[in-house]
Every structure is written in structure tokens, then in C-alpha cells.
């Protein structure tokens, strides 16, 4: 705007700050007549010719003409700047709001249940692209979560349907008029099936409440807790060697629920012992790393594919190639471990070991206990 007014004032008008003078012929012959304005008579070019009238149209002669010209140019400049600003703003807003329309479309599709749509924003790494990338990440995690819940519902239904169908078959055989000897054989089967249902329901309750359980006020020594759990596991299995190595220097205490942490260790040891080979080993290590207590459980066994390892923490998932005995469980052991770890603000990860050793390595990291500062 300033540039427009400046250029217009400087170059467009014609400036003549002298008053036009009309010289009649009768006065032109009188040498003593003084001019009526401040015309510079020393400049021959500024002197009007005899009998000539100077036209003042389009000339700026005084400050009133200057203000009028400034007003006209300012009004024209306002119109020009407004038109350019509206056009540029319209184009810029369309370009800036285009990703928002795409995000809105993705949100609408997600609201309708379609979580497969992705924005895939292109362009500079600005705030809008970061928002679009965050939205894509959220949609991806939601899709994985819903898929996991669908698999959980299907697996839980199948897990509960099998013993219920067995129970129904036993009851139908009983109604068909079985003898006392046959009935005596069916009762243990019915009892075992009922116990299986009870264990499944108990594991589901543990899985649901593990992340919301309150923590104990006193610290829990993971090294001592792991040692006692390993001793109990040794008494149950004689064909698997269980070794425990603990950090004797640093403290391995964490803040949490002693009951749940014991269940975490028992589930890891039971999983490592069950999915093992005859004469195999289970190596347990408890140590301290900075502000973290690390629990690692490694076992021997058949080699595992990476895709299998990624799904081991899903409820009711079983790695069929790893099953070497009838004690395959319900597929809830590692899912409960993950739930307990999250409830204690820790992390858990698993990876397949080398082909020579086989088996699995599970690593749990929990925040170490910090001694409260004295007031």
C-alpha cells in the first residue's frame, strides 16, 4: 500500500507550484508591470508567451491538490490491495485446508467403522503433515487393536465352547442309560472338563484386572521372588534344568503388587518349562540396569518364526510347533504377563533365539524402587 501511494504520488501527477498567469497584450508592452505570481522571470522557459493562457488541469499547484491526489491514490490502492489479498488468501486457504478435508474424510470413514483408510499426506513437514501422520498412526493402532479384540472374542468362544460341548456329550451319554461302571468313568471326565472351564475363567479375570491392581506400599525384591518361584518349578519338572542368576551388588527391588509380580514370574517359568524339549534348560537372570530392574527368561526348544513371536502375547494364541506335551495351557500365560507388566509401568518383549539353541527369550523391564527422600 505504501509503495503504491509513493509511486503514484511521485511519478503520475505533473507538479507546477506556480500560479498560472495570463498576460494581456495591452500589458505586455508595459515594462514596469509586475507579475501577479511568483513566476521565476529569470528562467525564460517559465515565462508565459504573449497572449497565451496556461492550462492548470492535471497540475498540482498547492497542498490541497496534494491531499486530493493522495486520497484518490489511497482509495485506488485499497481496492487493489483488497482484490490481490482476497485472491491470494483464497488460493492459500484452499492449499492449506486441503489436508484438513482429507483428515475429515478419514475421520468420517473411521466413524463408520472403516479403519483401513490412510491419509498419506505429502508435502513439507509442517504442522498439518504431522497431524495427518499422527492420525494415520492412530488409525493403524486402532485397526490392530480391533483385530486383536476380534481374534480374542473368537478364540475365547472356541476355548469355552470345547469343554462345554464335552460336558453336553457326557450328560447325553448319562441320559442314554449308562451302567454304573460307565458312569464311574464319565465322572472324572466331567470333573476335569469343569475344572478346565474354571481355570479359563480365572485366567480371564486375572487378565482383566492385572493392569488395574493397586500397588503395595513396600518394595518387592524381584531377585528373592524369582528364586522362590524357580525352586517351586524345579520340584514340578525333573527333565528341565532351571538356573537363576541374580545381581548380588545392586538392589532389584520394584514397587508393585507382590501377588501379581509373583504370578508374572510363575507364568514365565511355566511357559518356558512347558514349551521345552526333554533335557532342556531354562535360564533366568535378574539384574539392575540404571533405574530399571530386568528379568530375562530364556529356554531351549524348537526354532520359532518371527511371525509367531509377534503374536505370542495375544490371548488364547498358541504356537502349535512348540507344543511338546499335553500341558499346552490356554494361551493366556504371556497375555497375563504383558498385562501385569503394563500395570506396573514396564515393558515386555520376546525374541526367538538362535537355531542352535532354539526356544524363546522374554525380557521384562520394570521401574526400580526409589527410596523416598527424607523430609
Amino acid at each position: 500500500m505504501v509503495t503504491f501511494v509513493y509511486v503514484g504520488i511521485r511519478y503520475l501527477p505533473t507538479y507546477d507550484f506556480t500560479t498560472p498567469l495570463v498576460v494581456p497584450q495591452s500589458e505586455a508592452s508595459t515594462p514596469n508591470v509586475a507579475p501577479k505570481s511568483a513566476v521565476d522571470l529569470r528562467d525564460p522557459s517559465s515565462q508565459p508567451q504573449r497572449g497565451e493562457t496556461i492550462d492548470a488541469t492535471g497540475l498540482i499547484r498547492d497542498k490541497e491538490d496534494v491531499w486530493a491526489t493522495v486520497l484518490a491514490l489511497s482509495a485506488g490502492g485499497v481496492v487493489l490491495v483488497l482484490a490481490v489479498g482476497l485472491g491470494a488468501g483464497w488460493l492459500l486457504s484452499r492449499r492449506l485446508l486441503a489436508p484438513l478435508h482429507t483428515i475429515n474424510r478419514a475421520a468420517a470413514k473411521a466413524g463408520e467403522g472403516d479403519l483401513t483408510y490412510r491419509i498419506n499426506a505429502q508435502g513439507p513437514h509442517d504442522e498439518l503433515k504431522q497431524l495427518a501422520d499422527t492420525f494415520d498412526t492412530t488409525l493403524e493402532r486402532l485397526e490392530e487393536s480391533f483385530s486383536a479384540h476380534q481374534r480374542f472374542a473368537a478364540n475365547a468362544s472356541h476355548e469355552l465352547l470345547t469343554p462345554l460341548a464335552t460336558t453336553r456329550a457326557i450328560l447325553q451319554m448319562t441320559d442314554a442309560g449308562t451302567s454304573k461302571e460307565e458312569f464311574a468313568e464319565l465322572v472324572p471326565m466331567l470333573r476335569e472338563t469343569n475344572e478346565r472351564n474354571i481355570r479359563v475363567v480365572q485366567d480371564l479375570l486375572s487378565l482383566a484386572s492385572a493392569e488395574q491392581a493397586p500397588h503395595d506400599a513396600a518394595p518387592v525384591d524381584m531377585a528373592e521372588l524369582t528364586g522362590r518361584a524357580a525352586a517351586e518349578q524345579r520340584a514340578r519338572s525333573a527333565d528341565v534344568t532351571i538356573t537363576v542368576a541374580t545381581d548380588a551388588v545392586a538392589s532389584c527391588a520394584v514397587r508393585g503388587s507382590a501377588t501379581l509380580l509373583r504370578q508374572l514370574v510363575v507364568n514365565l517359568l511355566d511357559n518356558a518349562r512347558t514349551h521345552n524339549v526333554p533335557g532342556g534348560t531354562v535360564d533366568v537372570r535378574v539384574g539392575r540396569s540404571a533405574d530399571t530392574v530386568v528379568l530375562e527368561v530364556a529356554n531351549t526348544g524348537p526354532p520359532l518364526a518371527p511371525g509367531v513371536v509377534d503374536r505370542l502375547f495375544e490371548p488364547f494364541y498358541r504356537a502349535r510347533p512348540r507344543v511338546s506335551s499335553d500341558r499346552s495351557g490356554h494361551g493366556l500365560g504371556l497375555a497375563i504377563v504383558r498385562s501385569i507388566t503394563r500395570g506396573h509401568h514396564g515393558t515386555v518383549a520376546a525374541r526367538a533365539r538362535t537355531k542352535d539353541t532354539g526356544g524363546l527369550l522374554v525380557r521384562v523391564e520394570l521401574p526400580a524402587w526409589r527410596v523416598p527422600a527424607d523430609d
Side-chain angles (χ1 to χ4, degrees), residues 305-362:
V308 173
V309 176
D310 295 338
R311 297 188 57 188
L312 286 178
F313 293 98
E314 293 185 10
F316 295 109
Y317 180 79
R318 294 186 183 91
R320 294 296 180 182
R322 298 183 63 202
V323 178
S324 57
S325 64
D326 295 335
R327 301 179 67 257
S328 58
H330 310 291
L332 290 173
L334 291 181
I336 295 175
V337 168
R338 182 177 62 177
S339 183
I340 295 175
T341 304
R342 289 178 175 176
H344 288 77
H345 308 290
T347 59
V348 58
R351 64 176 178 85
R353 304 181 69 187
T354 61
K355 294 183 178 180
D356 296 334
T357 59
L360 185 71
L361 172 64
V362 181

Side-chain angles (χ1 to χ4, degrees), residues 49-330:
Q49 301 296 325
R50 181 177 301 174
E52 180 184 1
T53 301
I54 300 177
D55 187 7
T57 304
L59 296 179
I60 295 181
R61 300 168 299 178
D62 51 24
K63 66 178 183 179
E64 296 298 332
D65 293 338
V66 173
W67 300 137
T69 304
V70 169
L71 178 60
L73 291 175
S74 299
V78 167
V79 174
L80 178 62
V81 171
L82 182 62
V84 174
L86 289 176
W90 181 75
L91 294 176
L92 186 62
S93 63
R94 282 179 57 88
R95 180 174 181 180
L96 291 179
L97 295 179
L100 293 181
H101 293 304
T102 308
I103 295 174
N104 184 38
R105 188 183 306 113
K109 289 182 176 293
E112 296 173 356
D114 183 9
L115 299 176
T116 60
Y117 183 80
R118 297 293 182 269
I119 300 173
N120 297 325
Q122 305 295 328
H125 193 70
D126 53 8
E127 289 77 5
L128 288 177
K129 188 176 186 305
Q130 293 177 6
L131 176 62
D133 293 342
T134 302
F135 201 83
D136 282 346
T137 303
T138 303
L139 289 177
E140 183 178 356
R141 292 181 178 178
L142 285 175
E143 184 181 9
E144 294 177 356
S145 178
F146 276 101
S147 299
H149 280 291
Q150 291 175 354
R151 291 194 299 267
F152 171 78
N155 293 332
S157 301
H158 179 74
E159 192 71 25
L160 293 173
L161 181 62
T162 301
L164 290 176
T166 303
T167 301
R168 182 179 62 181
I170 294 175
L171 293 177
Q172 290 175 349
M173 293 176 62
T174 304
D175 293 338
T178 57
S179 61
K180 293 183 178 180
E181 293 77 9
E182 293 175 342
F183 184 76
E185 294 178 359
L186 293 177
V187 168
M189 297 175 57
L190 186 62
R191 184 183 299 112
E192 181 181 356
T193 304
N194 187 60
E195 291 295 330
R196 179 182 178 87
N197 286 333
I198 293 175
R199 288 195 301 269
V200 171
V201 174
Q202 288 177 344
D203 288 343
L204 287 175
L205 292 175
S206 300
L207 181 63
S209 61
E211 296 187 18
Q212 288 77 30
H215 293 182
D216 298 337
V220 179
D221 189 350
M222 290 298 296
E224 181 182 358
L225 188 148
T226 303
R228 293 199 304 266
E232 295 175 1
Q233 291 290 331
R234 291 191 190 99
R236 296 180 182 179
S237 178
D239 58 345
V240 176
T241 303
I242 300 177
T243 60
V244 179
T246 59
D247 193 341
V249 179
S251 173
C252 296
V254 300
R255 183 177 185 271
S257 172
T259 303
L260 290 178
L261 290 175
R262 182 182 181 279
Q263 184 176 4
L264 180 148
V265 177
V266 169
N267 283 9
L268 287 177
L269 293 177
D270 188 67
N271 181 79
R273 181 176 59 86
T274 302
H275 303 288
N276 213 314
V277 293
T281 60
V282 176
D283 299 323
V284 184
R285 187 182 73 85
V286 183
R288 178 75 175 263
S289 176
D291 294 333
T292 304
V293 175
V294 180
L295 169 64
E296 288 186 348
V297 178
N299 68 310
T300 55
L304 296 175
V308 173
V309 176
D310 295 338
R311 297 188 57 188
L312 286 178
F313 293 98
E314 293 185 10
F316 295 109
Y317 180 79
R318 294 186 183 91
R320 294 296 180 182
R322 298 183 63 202
V323 178
S324 57
S325 64
D326 295 335
R327 301 179 67 257
S328 58
H330 310 291

